[in-house]
Amino acid sequence: MSSDATPDPYANPLVFGQRMQILRERKGMTRAVLGGLLGKSVDWVKDMERGRMQPPGIDMVYRIAQALRVRDLSDLTGRPDVHVDLFIGPGHPRLASVRAAVDTLQIGIPTGPPPRTAHLKARLASAWAARHSAPDHRDRIGALLPDLICDAQLAVQLAVQPTEWRAAQAVLAEVYSLSQFFLSYQPDSSLLWRVAERSMVAAQQSANPHSIGVSTWLLAQAHRDTGPDHYDAADQITQQTLDYLTPLLPDASDDVLAIAGALTFEAGYTAARRGDTADAWRYWDVAKGMAERLPASYYHPVTSFSQAIMGAHAVTVAVELHSGHESVRQAARADADIIPSRPRRARHRIEQARGYQLDRQPEAAIATLAQAHAAAPETIRYNGYARAIILEEVESKVADRRRRASELAVKVGLLAA
């Protein structure tokens, strides 16, 4: 081996411990917090970081990676042959056709009548409705997206009048937004970024406040989920769009007020990821006030922002702040049944399960993930946090918990039947 080659942390405990310490300190996490997440003492963390112990088994390595929000297992192990993205799910069977539609160039002068914007809006509304109501929501929207993408691109290309062109751009931006929901947590990050950026460009061309807000909301999430180095970018684009929308709010439609509320909560979400408790709850409180200005029955078709979602958002803030007790307390207050969207309800159940796991209630975590699966199997199948909890409990020493986790692992495709 070359003298400057990366040492194998499994052969050298100190190398593994150094990586673990660097990643922990980058997150601003104390040894006490990391130990609490792992069910270990401060001394255990300290001894591991200083190379006084042999590196743990793969199950604990996986748990450490999850606690430190390491996206790729090789970042922790230093082994390029252990290249596992912890937040990427399996590729959907319809991924190839969606990718082909995104990558297709409309070159030359098309023949035939242009797609009507009103018709595209109606198809888009049906697609959003299918996403919220169907347990196999990825499959449903994956079937609709290829034609929607091509027709929306064509509508922009064939638009004659400026107002018609801007309206077509607004529809195209939202079609790309719908595509991001399909592409999230799938093994094609570059395609997700292409779609996010195209959505933002189309929204800006449309000069439509709602389209701009939706595209920003998703682009900010893409930045935040890429890791701590991109938190500032997420904050910047969120704040810029809020600065643009705020003067419009006194006379805004419910949809524009809702997207401003959703962006406000996103700022709190990013603050929670940073560990900034005060800002996280401050933004949540402001967003809650904005939700209360909306009709009680209102539900935003893209972001789910509404009065019904604020309880779920509170659980997310507590979980991201790694407060197990507060997560469970907020989960007890939040009513999942009032969330009309099946995938959003499933995601809320996953966040609740994360809270139970933080609070060392693994039985409740597995039971709650089973509820998530019942609501929307395709949500839990592609969610890295849910997959991590299930895999952890598959190794449980408690027979009944191990059995239930294994049954769930089979259902979500983590283990063979």
Side-chain angles (χ1 to χ4, degrees):
M1 180 184 290
S2 168
S3 61
D4 59 355
T6 301
D8 183 350
Y10 288 104
N12 186 340
L14 183 58
V15 172
F16 179 88
Q18 286 173 329
R19 286 181 175 273
M20 178 174 157
Q21 181 174 356
I22 289 168
L23 290 166
R24 175 181 62 77
E25 290 175 347
R26 281 180 183 172
K27 297 292 186 296
M29 188 182 296
T30 65
R31 284 174 174 151
V33 169
L34 178 58
L37 293 174
L38 300 173
K40 298 291 186 180
S41 68
V42 173
D43 286 340
W44 184 91
V45 175
K46 185 176 180 179
D47 288 345
M48 185 63 68
E49 290 181 346
R50 294 191 175 181
R52 296 171 181 163
M53 301 169 63
Q54 287 296 317
I58 189 62
D59 57 337
M60 179 55 76
V61 171
Y62 196 91
R63 288 178 63 188
I64 294 169
Q66 288 292 331
L68 294 174
R69 301 195 195 107
V70 174
R71 294 194 66 85
D72 193 313
L73 204 58
S74 64
D75 293 342
L76 178 62
T77 65
R79 288 176 55 170
D81 58 313
V82 188
H83 181 76
V84 180
D85 189 323
L86 301 177
F87 290 85
I88 293 295
H92 194 278
R94 298 192 186 274
L95 177 60
S97 60
V98 173
R99 182 193 295 116
V102 172
D103 290 343
T104 297
L105 294 176
Q106 303 278 2
I107 298 176
I109 302 175
T111 59
R116 291 186 298 112
T117 302
H119 186 227
L120 287 173
K121 285 183 177 179
R123 288 166 60 189
L124 190 54
S126 295
W128 281 119
R131 181 190 178 271
H132 288 301
S133 62
D136 57 340
H137 53 92
R138 283 184 193 265
D139 193 61
R140 294 287 296 277
I141 65 174
L144 298 171
L145 274 172
D147 287 343
L148 261 176
I149 291 168
C150 292
D151 288 348
Q153 291 173 337
L154 198 60
V156 169
Q157 189 174 0
L158 294 177
V160 176
Q161 299 298 324
T163 54
E164 180 186 359
W165 181 78
R166 286 193 293 270
Q169 290 281 17
V171 173
L172 179 60
E174 193 167 323
V175 169
Y176 282 138
S177 294
L178 179 64
S179 302
Q180 287 173 256
F181 279 88
F182 173 80
L183 294 170
S184 61
Y185 302 116
Q186 293 204 56
D188 197 336
S189 299
S190 64
L191 181 63
L192 177 64
W193 274 105
R194 271 203 313 285
V195 167
E197 290 166 352
R198 287 188 189 181
S199 177
M200 194 72 247
V201 170
Q204 289 172 318
Q205 298 279 13
S206 77
N208 182 298
H210 180 257
S211 296
I212 291 171
V214 169
S215 296
T216 299
W217 182 76
L218 284 162
L219 187 58
Q221 291 185 23
H223 277 291
R224 185 183 62 234
D225 290 346
T226 302
D229 290 345
H230 295 261
Y231 289 172
D232 287 347
D235 281 336
Q236 182 178 15
I237 60 174
T238 299
Q239 192 56 56
Q240 285 175 338
T241 305
L242 283 172
D243 290 344
Y244 161 69
L245 292 174
T246 298
L248 308 177
L249 296 184
D251 302 313
S253 66
D254 287 343
D255 283 349
V256 172
L257 176 59
I259 194 58
L263 283 165
T264 300
F265 171 71
E266 286 305 310
Y269 195 154
T270 305
R273 280 276 176 94
R274 276 198 172 97
D276 188 340
T277 302
D279 269 355
W281 286 114
R282 177 175 63 83
Y283 280 118
W284 177 86
D285 196 53
V286 173
K288 183 173 183 291
M290 298 171 80
E292 289 169 350
R293 291 170 55 187
L294 294 165
S297 60
Y298 176 87
Y299 195 82
H300 190 261
V302 181
T303 68
S304 296
F305 191 79
S306 57
Q307 293 185 31
I309 208 67
M310 292 312 300
H313 281 340
V315 175
T316 296
V317 169
V319 167
E320 291 296 339
L321 290 170
H322 296 291
S323 175
H325 176 74
E326 182 64 17
S327 301
V328 171
R329 190 178 79 86
Q330 293 293 346
R333 298 175 61 186
D335 185 356
D337 293 335
I338 65 174
I339 301 174
S341 167
R342 291 182 74 123
R344 188 60 186 84
R345 191 159 63 245
R347 185 188 155 200
H348 171 54
R349 292 297 192 192
I350 292 168
E351 296 292 274
Q352 285 183 309
R354 290 177 66 195
Y356 286 127
Q357 198 75 352
L358 283 171
D359 202 45
R360 301 183 187 180
Q361 298 186 46
E363 290 85 1
I366 289 297
T368 307
L369 288 178
Q371 292 177 310
H373 184 269
E378 286 194 340
T379 295
I380 188 171
R381 182 178 177 83
Y382 290 85
N383 188 282
Y385 294 114
R387 292 157 65 88
I389 293 171
I390 294 168
L391 285 174
E392 181 178 337
E393 296 311 322
V394 163
E395 301 295 326
S396 172
K397 292 185 172 123
V398 180
D400 183 62
R401 190 195 314 160
R402 184 172 63 248
R403 175 188 59 78
R404 290 187 293 123
S406 298
E407 290 172 355
L408 193 53
V410 170
K411 289 179 181 178
V412 302
L414 289 169
L415 295 176

